[in-house]
Amino acid sequence: MHPAHATAAFSDIVQTLQDYFDGLYYSDAEKLAGIFHTKANYACATEAPLLYLRMDEYLPIVAKRPSPASRGEPRRDSIEAIEFAGPYTAFAHVKCAIGPKYFTDFLTLIRTDGKWQIISKIFHYDILPETAEA
């Protein structure tokens, strides 16, 4: 990939990931619908049985859940790494928190129809210990 194209692609993915974090923080299923490809998969093996959803199953769950923003939760999201397999395929390792769950997400992105979208979200979560009140 030409360096100028790589810089633009990197910036576009960072913006997509920021929109992803915002969608999760505000429980904005409409925003997430624009970030996830309609054929994206969503999977987690942290608990048995395997959790596997399609977007038409996942997005309504997001829309119904109280947002971290509405509960006054601090933002805890970060981009750990972005890697490119070529001009149309990338991988992002990100972290974020919703309630007591701290997520490590492996996101595969594709560039299609002129934009980067998540085609696969595979994640693990840990339960954060309760914070002692002062």
Side-chain angles (χ1 to χ4, degrees), residues 22-69:
D22 289 347
L24 293 174
Y25 188 70
Y26 294 103
S27 294
D28 187 339
E30 187 174 321
K31 182 179 280 270
L32 291 174
I35 297 162
F36 281 95
H37 190 278
T38 56
K39 295 183 179 180
N41 63 53
Y42 171 100
C44 178
T46 302
E47 295 179 16
L50 171 70
L51 173 63
Y52 180 87
L53 301 173
R54 297 179 318 268
M55 288 301 101
D56 62 343
E57 297 167 314
Y58 169 62
L59 294 174
I61 293 168
V62 172
K64 290 178 187 171
R65 101 177 145 215
S67 72

Side-chain angles (χ1 to χ4, degrees), residues 77-89:
D77 43 53
S78 64
I79 299 171
E80 302 295 310
I82 297 173
E83 296 181 36
F84 288 90
Y88 303 104
T89 307

